[in-house]
C-alpha cells in the first residue's frame, strides 16, 4: 500500500478524533451551562477599555482552519502523535474547567456595518457559545499550532507568528473572551508542552522542556499579578517584572545562550543585574542559605570541586596564581577575590540543561592538559553555583580521563568522594554517550 496514502489517511483519522473530542466536551458543557439559573462572569475592571475591533474577526475565524491543516503540516509520525495528544489533552482539560467553573462573556457586542464582518459575527453567534470561557481554547490551540508552525522557514515562520498573535488578541477585540480566559488558555497551552514534550527522551530537546517550564511560570505569575492588582493593590503589577524575566530566561534556554548573563570574564553587566534581578536574587538566596558544598572536595590530588566560594572560603582554600578555576555557574558572577588571585576561566552551563558535546569535550581535554602540567603548588578548582550537578559532571569526565577509568568506576569514585553530588538520569545518559 502506498505510504503517502496511509499517512494522509492517518492524518484524517486524527483530525476526526480530535474534532470529535473537542465538539463533545465543548457542546455538552455549553448545553449544561445554558441550563443553569445563573452563570457568573469574571472581568478585570480595566477590561472596559479594551476596544471592539471588527476586522480582527478574520484572524479569529482562522483558528478553525488551522485546527485542520496543522495535522497535515507535521513532518514525522512522532510530531503528529504529539500534536494529537496535546489537542486531546487541552480539549479534555478545558472541558473539565467549563463544567466545574462555568463562566459567561458579559460585554455587549456592538453592531458592525460591514456585510462581511457581520456575516462572520453571525456565524460565530451560531457556532460559538457565550459560555466555555476560561481557559480559552482559541488561545490554547494557538500555542499548539505554533509548535508546528515554528518549523516553517522564513518568511512563513514570521508571518505565522504574527498571525497567531493577532488571533490571540482577536479573542479580546472581537468580544469573545475576557482577559482571564486568555491567560488561563496560555497556561493550559503551555502545560500541554510539559505534559507531552516533543520527544521525551531526546537529550538535545531538554532545553525546550525547561524553557516551557519557565514560560509556564511566567504565565502563572502574570495571572497572580492581575489578581493581586484587581483585588488587593496596584502594586501587584510589580509581579509583571519577574514574569518578564521568566520569559526571557525561557527564551535563552531555548537558544542555549550560555552567556546570556555572564560574559567571558565572569562578570554580569550592570544593566543585566537590573533586568534579571529577580532571577539572580533567587539564585543568590539558594546559594547563600541552601548550599552544602562550601569547602572544596578533593577528587584526586590537586583536583577539587565545590560550590561558588565566597572570599573567605577561597582564602581558606589557599588559592594562588597557580590555581586554575573553572566556573560553570551561569547565574551568579564570580567574586573578585577568585578572579584576581587565580587563573580564571568562565565556562557557564545552564542549570539542569542540555550540554554541547563538542564544548564539553574541549573543556575536559583542556582541564586534563592543564592538570598534567600543574606546578608543585598548583591545583584546579571546578565549581558551579551549588556544587552539585554541573561541577560533578565535569569532575567525573576529568577524573575518568586523567585516570583512564571506565565510566562506572569513575562514577563510583565521585559518589564515594563527593557525598552531595547530584547525578541526574539525563546526566548519566549523557555520560554514556560522550566519548573522550
Amino acid at each position: 500500500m502506498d505510504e503517502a496514502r496511509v499517512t494522509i489517511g492517518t492524518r484524517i483519522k486524527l483530525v476526526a478524533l480530535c474534532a470529535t473530542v473537542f465538539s463533545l466536551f465543548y457542546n455538552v458543557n455549553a448545553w449544561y451551562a445554558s441550563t443553569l439559573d445563573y452563570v457568573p462572569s469574571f472581568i478585570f475592571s480595566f477590561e472596559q477599555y479594551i476596544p471592539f475591533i471588527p476586522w480582527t474577526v478574520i484572524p479569529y475565524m482562522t483558528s478553525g482552519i488551522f485546527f485542520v491543516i496543522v495535522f497535515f503540516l507535521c513532518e514525522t509520525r512522532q510530531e503528529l502523535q504529539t500534536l494529537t495528544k496535546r489537542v486531546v489533552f487541552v480539549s479534555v482539560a478545558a472541558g473539565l474547567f467549563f463544567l466545574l467553573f462555568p463562566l459567561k462573556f458579559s460585554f455587549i457586542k456592538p453592531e458592525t456595518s460591514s456585510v462581511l464582518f457581520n456575516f462572520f459575527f453571525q456565524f460565530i453567534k451560531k457556532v460559538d457559545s457565550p459560555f466555555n470561557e476560561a481557559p480559552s481554547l482559541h488561545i490554547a490551540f494557538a500555542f499548539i499550532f505554533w509548535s508546528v508552525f515554528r518549523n516553517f522557514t522564513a518568511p512563513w515562520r514570521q508571518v505565522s507568528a504574527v498571525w497567531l498573535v493577532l488571533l490571540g488578541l482577536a479573542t479580546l477585540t472581537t468580544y469573545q473572551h475576557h482577559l482571564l480566559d486568555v491567560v488561563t488558555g496560555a497556561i493550559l497551552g503551555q502545560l500541554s508542552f510539559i505534559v507531552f514534550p516533543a520527544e521525551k527522551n531526546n537529550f538535545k530537546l531538554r532545553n525546550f522542556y525547561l524553557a516551557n517550564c519557565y514560560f509556564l511560570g511566567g504565565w502563572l505569575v502574570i495571572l497572580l499579578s492581575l489578581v493581586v492588582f484587581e483585588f488587593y493593590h496596584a502594586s501587584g503589577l510589580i509581579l509583571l517584572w519577574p514574569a518578564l524575566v521568566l520569559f526571557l530566561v525561557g527564551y535563552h534556554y531555548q537558544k542555549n545562550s550560555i552567556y546570556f548573563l555572564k560574559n567571558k570574564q565572569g562578570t554580569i553587566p550592570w544593566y543585566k543585574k537590573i533586568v534579571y534581578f529577580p532571577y539572580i536574587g533567587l539564585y543568590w538566596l539558594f546559594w547563600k542559605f541552601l548550599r552544602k558544598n562550601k569547602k572544596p572536595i578533593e577528587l584526586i590530588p590537586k583536583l577539587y570541586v565545590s560550590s561558588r566560594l565566597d572570599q573567605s572560603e577561597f582564602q581558606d582554600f589557599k588559592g594562588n596564581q597557580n590555581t586554575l578555576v573553572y566556573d560553570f555557574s551561569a547565574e551568579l558572577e564570580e567574586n573578585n577575590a577568585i578572579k584576581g588571585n587565580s587563573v580564571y576561566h568562565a565556562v557557564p552551563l545552564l542549570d539542569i540543561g542540555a550540554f554541547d558535546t563538542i564544548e564539553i569535550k574541549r573543556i575536559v581535554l583542556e582541564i586534563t592538559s592543564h592538570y598534567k602540567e600543574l606546578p608543585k603548588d598548583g591545583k584546579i578548582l571546578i565549581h558551579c553555583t551549588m556544587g552539585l550537578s554541573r561541577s560533578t559532571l565535569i569532575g567525573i569526565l576529568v577524573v575518568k580521563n586523567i585516570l583512564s577509568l571506565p565510566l562506572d568506576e569513575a562514577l563510583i569514585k565521585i559518589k564515594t568522594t563527593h557525598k552531595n553530588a547530584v547525578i541526574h538520569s539525563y546526566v548519566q545518559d549523557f555520560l554514556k554517550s560522550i566519548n573522550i
Side-chain angles (χ1 to χ4, degrees):
M1 186 177 291
D2 184 72
E3 182 63 26
R5 192 179 299 276
V6 172
T7 301
I8 292 173
T10 300
R11 293 170 191 264
I12 292 173
K13 289 177 182 177
L14 292 178
V15 172
L17 170 65
C18 290
T20 300
V21 172
F22 161 73
S23 297
L24 178 64
F25 278 84
Y26 187 90
N27 292 318
V28 168
N29 283 298
W31 169 82
Y32 168 72
S34 69
T35 65
L36 300 176
D37 293 332
Y38 172 71
V39 177
S41 297
F42 188 102
I43 312 168
F44 293 106
S45 56
F46 56 84
E47 288 189 65
Q48 61 181 307
Y49 300 108
I50 295 176
F52 177 73
I53 307 176
W55 68 263
T56 57
V57 71
I58 295 176
Y60 181 86
M61 290 286 291
T62 57
S63 179
I65 299 172
F66 291 161
F67 186 97
V68 175
I69 67 172
V70 72
F71 286 87
F72 296 89
L73 297 174
C74 294
E75 296 181 354
T76 65
R77 184 175 294 273
Q78 172 79 33
E79 188 179 1
L80 187 60
Q81 290 174 343
T82 302
L83 171 68
T84 303
K85 291 175 183 177
R86 289 172 176 173
V87 171
V88 170
F89 170 77
V90 161
S91 299
V92 174
L96 292 175
F97 272 91
F98 298 156
L99 178 64
L100 298 174
F101 309 103
L103 292 173
K104 183 179 181 180
F105 187 82
S106 59
F107 288 175
I108 298 175
K109 192 172 297 184
E111 293 292 331
T112 175
S113 57
S114 169
V115 175
L116 177 62
F117 298 158
N118 189 57
F119 170 78
F120 286 145
F121 281 115
Q122 290 300 318
F123 178 79
I124 290 173
K125 188 175 182 180
K126 290 183 180 296
V127 300
D128 257 5
S129 165
F131 310 108
N132 296 350
E133 291 293 294
S136 166
L137 281 169
H138 255 71
I139 298 296
F141 286 150
F143 273 66
I144 295 174
F145 299 155
W146 175 243
S147 70
V148 177
F149 294 171
R150 71 185 308 276
N151 295 322
F152 291 167
T153 55
W156 293 111
R157 175 186 168 94
Q158 290 77 9
V159 170
S160 62
V162 171
W163 192 265
L164 287 176
V165 170
L166 287 174
L167 190 158
L169 292 174
T171 60
L172 297 172
T173 57
T174 56
Y175 283 11
Q176 288 296 121
H177 282 281
H178 292 301
L179 186 58
L180 174 71
D181 318 338
V182 172
V183 178
T184 52
I187 290 172
L188 180 57
Q190 206 69 66
L191 187 60
S192 73
F193 299 154
I194 296 172
V195 176
F196 298 106
E199 294 180 42
K200 189 173 183 180
N201 297 317
N202 189 335
F203 175 74
K204 294 181 179 179
L205 296 179
R206 178 170 178 78
N207 277 13
F208 283 87
Y209 175 83
L210 295 170
N212 285 322
C213 292
Y214 276 106
F215 293 152
L216 176 62
W219 286 112
L220 288 170
V221 174
I222 285 177
L223 180 60
L224 177 62
S225 173
L226 294 174
V227 170
V228 172
F229 169 78
E230 182 69 21
F231 295 104
Y232 294 97
H233 197 270
S235 59
L237 293 181
I238 194 65
L239 291 173
L240 294 177
W241 179 15
L244 172 62
V245 171
L246 286 168
F247 288 129
L248 289 173
V249 173
Y251 171 80
H252 289 301
Y253 262 82
Q254 278 190 338
K255 300 296 183 181
N256 196 33
S257 306
I258 56 176
Y259 289 105
F260 81 97
L261 273 182
K262 289 166 63 166
N263 56 31
K264 294 183 179 181
Q265 288 71 49
T267 302
I268 301 177
W270 65 267
Y271 62 92
K272 289 187 179 181
K273 289 181 181 178
I274 295 174
V275 173
Y276 288 93
F277 176 77
Y279 180 74
I280 297 171
L282 185 61
Y283 263 95
W284 184 88
L285 290 172
F286 287 156
W287 172 81
K288 185 69 175 176
F289 298 107
L290 299 180
R291 68 190 174 112
K292 299 176 182 179
N293 189 16
K294 298 180 180 181
K295 184 178 180 180
I297 297 169
E298 192 171 25
L299 300 180
I300 56 177
K302 298 185 178 184
L303 179 67
Y304 298 81
V305 295
S306 75
S307 63
R308 173 183 178 272
L309 302 179
D310 63 23
Q311 184 170 344
S312 63
E313 290 162 352
F314 184 68
Q315 289 174 347
D316 292 340
F317 178 61
K318 295 182 171 52
N320 56 47
Q321 294 299 326
N322 287 325
T323 299
L324 280 73
V325 175
Y326 281 84
D327 172 15
F328 291 91
S329 169
E331 308 82 27
L332 299 179
E333 67 179 0
E334 189 64 277
N335 71 63
N336 291 326
I338 290 180
K339 289 192 289 185
N341 296 283
S342 68
V343 180
Y344 174 74
H345 301 268
V347 279
L349 298 177
L350 298 179
D351 195 12
I352 64 173
F355 315 116
D356 182 278
T357 302
I358 295 175
E359 180 66 5
I360 293 297
K361 283 184 177 181
R362 183 195 68 78
I363 293 167
V364 171
L365 291 174
E366 180 181 306
I367 295 174
T368 302
S369 176
H370 285 315
Y371 181 83
K372 294 176 179 179
E373 299 171 355
L374 282 174
K376 186 176 181 180
D377 63 342
K379 48 190 172 182
I380 296 177
L381 173 64
I382 298 169
H383 84 78
C384 53
T385 301
M386 303 298 286
L388 301 177
S389 181
R390 287 166 285 184
S391 56
T392 298
L393 164 74
I394 302 300
I396 291 169
L397 290 172
V398 172
V399 168
K400 175 180 177 291
N401 206 30
I402 291 173
L403 301 182
S404 299
L405 295 175
L407 177 59
D408 290 344
E409 290 186 25
L411 283 168
I412 292 172
K413 183 171 182 59
I414 298 301
K415 289 177 180 178
T416 303
T417 308
H418 187 0
K419 302 294 184 182
N420 294 320
V422 175
I423 308 173
H424 299 286
S425 59
Y426 76 90
V427 172
Q428 295 188 44
D429 292 339
F430 177 78
L431 289 168
K432 292 174 184 177
S433 68
I434 189 170
N435 182 27
I436 302 178

